[in-house]
Amino acid sequence: MALDQSFIGRTYPPTAPYQVGREKIREFAKAIGATDPLHHDPEAARAAGYSDVVATPTFPVVITMAASRQIVDDPELGVDYTRVVHGDQRFAYKRPVVAGDELVSVNTVEEILSRGGHDFLTIRTDVSTSAGEPVVSVWSKLVVRGEG
Amino acid sequence: MEELPTQTYRVTRADLVRYAGASGDFNVIHWSERLATKVGLPGVIAHGMLTMALAGRAVTTWAGSADAVVDFNVRFSRPVPVPDDDEGTEIEFRGVVKGETEDGLTQIDITATCHGEKVLSQARAIVRRHHA
């Protein structure tokens, strides 16, 4: 069944703050083989003008994928997650994520398209510090495959 | 158009386990052959976001700094099957500099292939490039 178009533009309440840890940044960088000292060594990060180690470009997904369950799991919207395939992903940065950041996510249903029996759901997650400084906006397009 | 040096990264099942833990994405299709084939996949596949993360690693390597990425966009066009052996599979990343944006940033178009098949499409990064 097609997703309810009236959800387009709906913004959800901010998620609980996520505390970005130095070891989590290191763990994520290590998992993808990113060896640049900026991700691992606070001294190197400080020399580059940051307060602590800097996350790799796709690190925010750790926060936003969990945050976007707010929409995906919304029983009123009714997404069948077993039929979901990841379509597109985009990150637009104001500045990189740094250890010590306390980040809050605000999810918005940006687009719902129905084509060829499938639904295309675009979620935008605006990530900012708990003090209100914008850090990164993250778009995830999910394809909800139709039945049959 | 400037072609950037190709980056090739190997992905094994161990890498998928490590990425699952680091990212918090524990979808069974990334570790269970039985459940992956049950939903019609060729077998265990890499996380799309792992492929994107590796593309990001290639981009920061090309740009010459780990904090270079300003905007980064991909479309997942094909899954990356990862066999249960020590070799795993290789993903090859090619980059082409498309030019500069109005605000002096550099656009890099990325091609990601696995066994000659495109696994990402419309992959593009806007970076702040450090000039040597």
Side-chain angles (χ1 to χ4, degrees):
Chain A
M1 209 178 76
L3 295 177
D4 183 352
Q5 304 261 335
S6 75
F7 274 73
I8 299 169
R10 187 174 299 198
T11 295
Y12 288 68
T15 59
Y18 178 98
Q19 192 71 42
V20 179
R22 184 188 289 168
E23 299 304 344
K24 190 67 189 176
I25 285 181
R26 285 173 168 161
E27 179 194 12
F28 193 91
K30 211 170 162 188
I32 64 163
T35 55
D36 193 290
L38 219 52
H39 307 307
H40 300 277
D41 177 5
E43 285 304 316
R46 275 192 277 274
Y50 296 100
S51 55
D52 207 320
V53 294
V54 177
T56 53
T58 65
F59 176 88
V61 75
V62 171
I63 304 160
T64 59
M65 194 178 273
S68 67
R69 296 301 294 229
Q70 226 182 1
I71 293 179
V72 173
D73 292 343
D74 184 342
E76 281 183 54
L77 182 59
V79 173
D80 177 358
Y81 200 66
T82 65
R83 296 184 171 279
V84 166
V85 177
H86 201 166
D88 293 50
Q89 183 72 27
R90 179 183 171 206
F91 299 85
Y93 278 96
K94 296 285 184 208
R95 66 155 171 88
V97 170
V98 176
D101 280 341
E102 188 175 86
L103 300 176
V104 174
S105 297
V106 175
N107 290 307
T108 301
V109 177
E110 196 166 86
E111 189 181 67
I112 296 173
L113 292 172
S114 294
R115 225 184 305 126
H118 307 299
D119 285 317
F120 299 81
L121 169 66
T122 303
I123 297 171
R124 189 184 79 238
T125 308
D126 294 309
V127 180
S128 54
T129 66
S130 49
E133 179 201 0
V135 176
V136 59
S137 290
V138 180
W139 286 261
S140 304
K141 185 177 275 186
L142 305 179
V143 184
V144 188
R145 289 178 296 162
E147 300 182 34
Chain B
M1 277 192 309
E2 182 192 351
E3 287 206 25
L4 299 158
T6 300
Q7 305 290 314
T8 304
Y9 303 132
R10 187 168 290 283
V11 178
T12 66
R13 289 284 178 93
D15 293 316
L16 300 190
V17 173
R18 206 170 287 123
Y19 182 79
S23 67
D25 182 348
F26 298 106
N27 193 327
V28 294
I29 60 174
H30 307 305
W31 52 267
S32 168
E33 195 85 28
R34 177 176 56 90
L35 295 168
T37 50
K38 205 171 168 183
V39 296
L41 292 166
V44 165
I45 62 165
H47 307 70
M49 285 307 300
L50 171 56
T51 304
M52 186 179 190
L54 295 174
R57 183 179 150 197
V59 167
T60 52
T61 302
W62 290 324
S65 63
D67 59 345
V69 174
V70 176
D71 200 300
F72 186 23
N73 184 74
V74 307
R75 172 164 296 175
F76 302 105
S77 50
R78 196 183 284 271
V80 174
V82 180
D84 184 14
D85 58 27
D86 297 334
E87 278 72 49
T89 196
E90 275 185 346
I91 310 177
E92 194 178 86
F93 298 94
R94 291 171 188 277
V96 172
V97 176
K98 295 299 276 191
E100 300 238 322
T101 64
E102 278 175 21
D103 30 8
L105 301 169
T106 304
Q107 181 181 331
I108 298 175
D109 286 2
I110 307 147
T111 307
T113 52
C114 179
H115 294 296
E117 307 253 40
K118 257 178 118 168
V119 294
L120 297 179
S121 64
Q122 300 180 20
R124 191 202 61 197
I126 308 288
V127 302
R128 213 178 288 109
R129 215 172 176 198
H130 291 228
H131 294 282

